Amino acid sequence: MRNKLLNTLILIAATALSTSASAHLGTDSGTHHTLVDGLLHPLTGLDHLAAMLAVGLWSALSATSARRIWLAPVAFAGMLLVGALLGLNGLALPAVEPMIAASLLVMGLLVATRLRVPGPVAALLVGAFAAFHGLAHGYELAGEPGAALTLAGMLSATVLLHGTGLAAGWALRHRHVWLARAAGAGRSGRERSAAPAGRCRRGGSAAIAGR
């Protein structure tokens, strides 16, 4: 399962690398003006969708405590906003698109290996990637009248995708526990149903012996 997931994310990263230039460098400028547009963009952009889900998956699969499970998603959302604000103010960095694609490869490896790192390290890693995602969109939206609403929508979608990834990762992490509990419940039920039958057989045998 891990190999299939990793191969899928590698394919997504390769696709994102070849297509993200047209998705972030202003070719769709003029289409992101509303809150709804901002909400939909991360859900329809392959690179953002994969990255945000992967952050949630990795956090749930590798977290050592429930308290630390939120560190990476919160860092991603926060640095996405910081990067977007910097982009809105005209900051442009080289290799933004390769960094976005690289983030998918790294996140895919982290999900596949369930690598556990200290919470601050996880937050720093995903935060750095999120800054590049935010810069791409902020630079694209610079000068647009609806930029604030669009960013608000993008952040809301980001939180939603993180939550979806967290839920999926938590379910995968505990699936063996659930299966064991289900199997245990099934065995208990069979034992309870078998016990009265055993008592009946023993009682019938005793009655025959008495006669």
Side-chain angles (χ1 to χ4, degrees):
M1 179 178 177
R2 291 184 182 182
N3 289 336
K4 289 182 179 180
L5 177 60
L6 179 57
N7 291 336
T8 300
L9 288 174
I10 289 174
L11 178 61
I12 290 173
T15 304
L17 184 59
S18 63
T19 62
S20 57
S22 62
H24 297 296
L25 295 182
T27 57
D28 60 346
S29 181
T31 62
H32 298 305
H33 292 286
T34 68
L35 180 67
V36 174
D37 290 326
L39 280 168
L40 291 178
H41 189 73
L43 301 176
T44 56
L46 189 62
D47 51 350
H48 298 291
L49 180 66
M52 294 168 188
L53 287 173
V55 169
L57 276 169
W58 178 50
S59 298
L61 291 172
S62 63
T64 57
S65 67
R67 183 177 58 184
R68 293 185 178 182
I69 200 173
W70 301 102
L71 287 177
V74 169
F76 190 100
M79 289 306 297
L80 180 73
L81 176 60
V82 171
L85 292 176
L86 291 174
L88 282 173
N89 284 281
L91 178 64
L93 295 179
V96 170
E97 302 306 327
M99 281 298 296
I100 290 176
S103 71
L104 299 181
L105 291 174
V106 173
M107 292 307 304
L109 287 170
L110 292 174
V111 171
T113 60
R114 299 189 184 187
L115 180 66
R116 292 184 176 182
V117 299
V121 176
L124 180 63
L125 178 63
V126 300
F129 288 141
F132 283 93
H133 283 262
L135 274 171
H137 282 297
Y139 191 78
E140 171 191 325
L141 290 169
E144 297 290 340
L149 282 176
T150 303
L151 289 179
M154 289 176 60
L155 280 174
S156 299
T158 297
V159 172
L160 174 64
L161 289 171
H162 285 337
T164 302
L166 284 169
W170 197 255
L172 288 171
R173 182 172 179 171
H174 294 279
R175 69 186 186 280
H176 298 303
V177 176
W178 295 343
L179 287 173
R181 288 178 178 175
R187 285 195 300 269
S188 297
R190 288 193 297 271
E191 290 170 359
R192 285 195 298 268
S193 62
R199 286 195 295 270
C200 289
R201 286 194 295 269
R202 288 194 297 271
S205 301
I208 294 172
R211 289 196 297 270

